[in-house]
């Protein structure tokens, strides 16, 4: 069995892991319940968008071809088969996705959660030793890719992303983030000054994102009103 790929299916129950995950998120939210209310800065006056660009068949075919071959085991169609039949299926998928964007409605989306050991030397009988890996159905992933591309195109066109953001940007990664930090440190040291680095690790960051706050931020700071409608 591969490093860090131990499954919890035979060691802990689904109910036990579900209760642990819900409790973890609830505990993190409870510690921030009395936090200062979120503040929002206004978007620049020249940028605004209120609707998604209609997809065309070429958009769908392009993203189908980019899908990884590895898939969720519950998918009714193998990803390699979808890619093989992309030209035939693309018109139907394009119509379905455009209808979803126009109506602001996403069909029921299910994720299959697989708990995997964080490190091979951790106690496999302890629910705290696992991290959840979510596997979406391939069509859900495809729709997300198409929507994310339009959002990023809008953000890049209006220069709304922070200059130092490395995640979710083309030609940016953890490597560019590390290079930026190292460059700043070396610059300060070369100037004869002292340097201190403070790192922050957020527990269950993605699981505890407040959807209302993020939608309000998209609306006020990015003027991305289409997200409020969806």
């Amino acid at each position: 069995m591969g490093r860090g790929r131990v499954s919890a299916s035979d060691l802990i129950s689904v109910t036990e892991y579900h209760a642990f995950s819900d409790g973890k998120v609830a505990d993190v939210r409870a510690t921030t319940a009395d936090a200062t209310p979120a503040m929002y800065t206004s978007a620049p006056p020249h940028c605004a968008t209120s609707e998604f660009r209609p997809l065309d068949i070429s958009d769908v075919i392009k993203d189908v071809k980019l899908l990884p071959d590895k898939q969720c085991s519950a998918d009714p169609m193998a990803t390699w088969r979808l890619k093989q039949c992309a030209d035939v299926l693309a018109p139907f998928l394009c119509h379905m996705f455009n209808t979803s964007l126009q109506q602001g409605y996403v069909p029921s989306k299910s994720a299959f959660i697989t708990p995997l050991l964080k490190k091979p030397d951790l106690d496999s009988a302890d629910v705290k030793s696992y991290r959840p890996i979510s596997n979406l159905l391939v069509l859900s992933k495809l729709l997300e890719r198409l929507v994310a591309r339009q959002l990023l195109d809008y953000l890049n066109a209006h220069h709304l992303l922070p200059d130092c953001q490395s995640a979710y940007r083309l030609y940016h990664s953890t490597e560019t983030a590390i290079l930026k930090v190292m460059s700043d440190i070396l610059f300060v040291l070369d100037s004869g000054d002292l340097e201190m680095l403070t790192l922050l690790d957020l527990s269950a960051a993605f699981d505890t994102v407040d959807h209302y706050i993020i939608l309000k931020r998209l609306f006020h700071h990015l003027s991305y009103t289409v997200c409020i409608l969806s």
Side-chain angles (χ1 to χ4, degrees):
M1 191 171 292
R3 181 180 179 86
R5 300 292 294 181
V6 178
S7 172
S9 59
D10 298 327
L11 303 172
I12 58 176
S13 69
V14 172
T15 302
E16 183 182 7
Y17 191 76
H18 189 184
F20 165 74
S21 299
D22 283 351
K24 180 179 180 181
V25 172
D27 290 344
V28 173
R29 287 186 177 276
T31 61
T32 59
D34 58 349
T36 303
M39 300 179 63
Y40 310 97
T41 55
S42 299
H46 65 281
C47 63
T49 183
S50 59
E51 60 183 13
F52 288 108
R53 173 181 60 81
L55 302 170
D56 57 42
I57 295 175
S58 63
D59 291 325
V60 176
I61 293 177
K62 178 182 178 181
D63 271 38
V64 168
K65 299 292 186 182
L66 293 174
L67 287 171
D69 289 331
K70 188 176 181 179
Q71 69 184 78
C72 175
S73 59
D75 265 316
M77 176 183 289
T79 305
W80 66 266
R81 179 68 72 185
L82 176 61
K83 295 167 74 171
Q84 186 181 62
C85 303
D87 294 339
V88 176
L89 296 176
F92 303 98
L93 296 176
C94 185
H95 175 72
M96 180 175 67
F97 292 154
N98 275 327
T99 302
S100 174
L101 298 181
Q102 291 165 5
Q103 297 182 0
Y105 174 77
V106 178
S108 179
K109 183 172 71 173
S110 299
F112 292 83
I113 311 300
T114 303
L116 300 179
L117 274 178
K118 298 176 182 178
K119 296 180 181 179
D121 58 344
L122 293 177
D123 182 5
S124 58
D126 187 350
V127 292
K128 298 179 181 179
S129 302
Y130 294 88
R131 67 163 54 90
I133 303 299
S134 299
N135 291 304
L136 290 175
L137 298 181
V138 66
L139 293 185
S140 294
K141 291 181 182 178
L142 186 56
L143 178 58
E144 286 188 357
R145 282 173 177 261
L146 293 163
V147 170
R149 176 171 290 113
Q150 292 198 33
L151 174 58
L152 287 173
D153 286 346
Y154 166 74
L155 297 177
N156 289 324
H158 294 285
H159 307 289
L160 294 172
L161 290 175
D163 292 337
C164 293
Q165 178 173 323
S166 288
Y168 314 112
R169 298 177 69 186
L170 190 63
Y171 308 124
H172 291 72
S173 64
T174 52
E175 185 175 337
T176 56
I178 292 173
L179 288 174
K180 169 61 177 171
V181 172
M182 289 296 299
S183 176
D184 289 346
I185 291 174
L186 294 175
F187 178 81
V188 171
L189 294 178
D190 288 343
S191 300
D193 293 327
L194 297 176
E195 176 76 9
M196 178 179 291
L197 177 64
T198 302
L199 301 176
L200 175 65
D201 183 17
L202 300 176
S203 177
F206 283 97
D207 295 330
T208 53
V209 168
D210 188 296
H211 293 176
Y212 177 77
I213 291 177
I214 196 170
L215 287 174
K216 293 284 286 185
R217 179 169 170 77
L218 286 167
F219 179 73
H220 287 282
H221 181 63
L222 304 179
S223 195
Y224 206 77
T225 55
V226 70
C227 292
I228 303 298
L229 302 176
S230 58

